[in-house]
Amino acid sequence: MRMVDMIAKKRDGGELTTEEIQFLVTGYTDGSIPDYQMSAWAMAVFFRGMTARETGDLTLAMAGSGEQLDLSSLQGIKVDKHSTGGVGDKTTLVVAPLVAAAGIPVAKMSGRGLGYSGGTIDKLESFAGFEVERTREQFLQQVRDIGVSVIGQSGNLTPADKKLYALRDVTATVEAVPLIASSIMSKKIAAGADAILLDVKVGKGAFMKSIEEAETLANAMVAIGSQVGRKTVAVISDMNQPLGFAVGNALEVKEAVETLAGRGPRDLTELVLSIGSRMLVMGGLVGDVEEGRKKLEDLMASGKAVDKLAEMVEAQGGNKQDVYDLSRLPQAKIIHTVTAEQDGFVSAIDAEAIGHASVVLGAGRLTKEMPIDLAVGLVLHKKRGDQVKAGEVLVTIHANEDQLLKNALKEMEGAFQISTAIDGEQPLIYKIIEA
Ligand code: URA
């Protein structure tokens, strides 16, 4: 087999065989296929697309390019969850302990934030001493003992995707649906899940800006799931405004704990219940989402959901008191409020601008190596649709340096739009896609 023939075949709209795709992934991972040929192939895919069969083959080949986690020693159906990323998206911090409290084993690998979209692993480090790097045995044993562990992604998972993603980033080929879908699904499959719940974000603060794009991506991922025998459900949810009120690591952890206790923001609570109840159905624990939702609401009200997070924090080296006394989490020195200049209704909150402001404060990173400040960020007081009077607080900024506060204020100028009226409700969940 020759890579040049596969590039030509794809350039001319042909379909690669399973063997050709395996050859391409193996060759690219071991270095025998150079970047320039892989770039040409990725660009051919960008223009010509891939069939569902090719996309499934690419996913499995990338999943098999490195270490694969074997979760078979854990009892039950392992349901993983993945978000395509957004601003204020602390869903995993709530969903993981919540569904674990219901009885679904959660052995989850999560990422760090990059750019304006935050990462679960950074947020968890707001608990002093919390260890995100664990040996495979510690990770599995913790899930056997308490039902949940969330750790950082193993360095040796899907090396083919790591290399190809970096290449796509610099060759203008990131935005190819079969490549995005196979990239995400290969990591989920290598992480060992039996079933996968995908939260595909859409809007100003998300990777996918239109519902059509989000739906195309969701359909492609659900199709891959079916093809490789993993039940996959995609929820397409709104990311035009931040999720919940808090943006920034420790601030989001506090909001996640409040949500686990049943006192969370309406949108975050709704998303968590929608995702969590579907995970319970996929895990075979309940017959339908209504039953799942009721179970999760009971776990929130009884305090068992919060207790499960506390158990996880303790098991991974933190102090469980931090969960019950949120004033022990990192706190910023400067608290600054921004108020409304006019009466009206909040008609839009630019999630991307709020995300950028949080990065400027130090809550996120622009390069993978940048240190972050866990205490800083923003807390919204109003969401889209809320009525506001001139002088009322729109957002509280938590900062540790005056200059960074000034920079963040500049970054979020115009982020809140106030109008005399609003045109209808913006849905939180646009669509659920199942095979
Ligand atoms: N996230 C991924 O993991 N891969 C992509 O290609 C795009 C987003």
Side-chain angles (χ1 to χ4, degrees):
M1 274 188 245
R2 297 190 322 156
M3 183 62 180
V4 65
D5 299 328
M6 288 176 227
I7 299 169
K9 196 172 184 183
K10 189 43 71 185
R11 177 199 64 197
D12 299 337
E15 183 177 359
L16 300 192
T17 66
T18 303
E19 293 71 32
E20 284 172 328
I21 288 174
Q22 186 61 56
F23 172 85
L24 179 152
V25 170
T26 309
Y28 188 54
T29 312
D30 70 21
S32 56
I33 292 172
D35 278 347
Y36 55 83
Q37 284 192 309
M38 201 62 180
S39 310
W41 178 80
M43 190 56 86
V45 169
F46 181 90
F47 285 112
R48 291 294 196 171
M50 293 176 92
T51 65
R53 204 224 78 241
E54 284 180 299
T55 313
D57 285 345
L58 178 63
T59 307
L60 280 183
M62 290 204 296
S65 67
E67 188 184 351
Q68 298 204 64
L69 215 55
D70 180 2
L71 302 182
S72 60
S73 65
L74 305 176
Q75 297 278 318
I77 300 174
K78 276 70 69 183
V79 190
D80 202 352
K81 172 223 164 244
H82 178 83
S83 160
T84 57
V87 179
D89 185 4
K90 69 282 289 174
T91 315
T92 292
L93 293 177
V94 188
V95 164
L98 182 60
V99 303
I104 294 275
V106 180
K108 179 150 181 56
M109 289 190 178
S110 284
R112 293 196 181 274
L114 190 62
Y116 63 80
S117 128
T120 301
I121 288 303
D122 292 328
K123 293 170 198 178
L124 281 170
E125 284 182 340
S126 302
F127 294 111
F130 191 94
E131 290 169 12
V132 297
E133 282 177 31
R134 311 277 278 170
T135 66
R136 200 52 25 93
E137 198 34 53
Q138 282 176 316
F139 176 55
L140 295 176
Q141 191 55 47
Q142 184 176 318
V143 181
R144 278 183 218 111
D145 291 343
I146 64 165
V148 58
S149 180
V150 180
I151 61 168
Q153 193 168 298
S154 149
N156 196 25
L157 218 67
T158 58
D161 172 64
K162 205 166 284 171
K163 239 179 132 177
L164 180 57
Y165 190 76
L167 186 74
R168 286 164 54 211
D169 208 19
V170 292
T171 56
T173 51
V174 167
E175 294 88 351
V177 166
L179 299 182
I180 300 175
S182 55
S183 167
I184 293 173
M185 290 297 283
S186 65
K187 284 177 281 219
K188 294 286 107 187
I189 290 166
D194 301 312
I196 302 157
L197 187 296
L198 300 162
D199 183 10
V200 179
K201 300 286 188 199
V202 61
K204 280 207 79 163
F207 201 50
M208 297 283 135
K209 303 291 180 200
S210 76
I211 296 182
E212 293 71 31
E213 284 174 311
E215 209 171 324
T216 305
L217 177 63
N219 277 319
M221 292 194 285
V222 169
I224 294 172
S226 295
Q227 205 188 323
V228 304
R230 317 281 167 121
K231 174 145 183 65
T232 305
V233 174
V235 172
I236 298 181
S237 72
D238 183 66
M239 192 33 77
N240 281 299
Q241 62 175 342
L243 183 63
F245 295 112
V247 179
N249 299 284
L251 295 169
E252 291 190 40
V253 166
K254 290 178 195 171
E255 187 166 84
V257 174
E258 292 294 338
T259 306
L260 277 169
R263 300 186 294 263
R266 202 153 44 100
D267 58 348
L268 176 62
T269 304
E270 177 52 33
L271 186 65
V272 160
L273 290 173
S274 179
I275 287 176
S277 59
R278 283 184 170 79
M279 289 173 74
L280 299 197
V281 174
M282 293 164 87
L285 210 71
V286 295
D288 56 45
V289 288
E290 284 70 35
E291 193 189 336
R293 181 178 274 262
K294 172 84 181 61
K295 204 176 195 50
L296 298 179
E297 283 170 342
D298 289 348
L299 290 164
M300 287 174 161
S302 67
K304 288 188 179 145
V306 174
D307 291 345
K308 189 52 77 180
L309 176 65
E311 276 179 62
M312 180 174 97
V313 168
E314 188 104 321
Q316 286 183 236
N319 184 336
K320 65 159 60 168
Q321 280 317 313
D322 291 1
V323 174
Y324 298 110
D325 177 2
L326 297 173
S327 69
R328 292 164 56 102
L329 292 175
Q331 313 273 348
K333 294 196 285 273
I334 307 165
I335 307 292
H336 179 91
T337 54
V338 177
T339 53
E341 288 172 2
Q342 64 192 83
D343 291 356
F345 291 90
V346 177
S347 53
I349 306 172
D350 184 335
E352 189 170 350
I354 299 286
H356 282 305
S358 79
V359 172
V360 164
L361 288 168
R365 52 173 81 76
L366 296 170
T367 63
K368 277 194 167 139
E369 287 71 34
M370 259 176 83
I372 56 169
D373 185 338
L374 295 165
V376 301
L378 305 95
V379 179
L380 310 180
H381 291 242
K382 300 283 177 186
K383 296 285 298 251
R384 185 183 187 274
D386 287 349
Q387 193 166 13
V388 61
K389 294 208 175 317
E392 258 193 289
V393 177
L394 292 175
V395 56
T396 305
I397 303 183
H398 296 238
N400 271 329
E401 286 183 43
D402 286 322
Q403 188 56 49
L404 298 185
L405 169 62
K406 283 193 189 117
N407 297 348
L409 286 168
K410 193 151 184 45
E411 202 65 51
M412 56 168 288
E413 261 171 31
F416 275 81
Q417 278 177 32
I418 298 182
S419 312
T420 49
I422 45 159
D423 47 349
E425 279 235 337
Q426 197 158 43
L428 172 67
I429 294 175
Y430 294 97
K431 218 162 182 168
I432 311 281
I433 296 181
E434 311 194 35

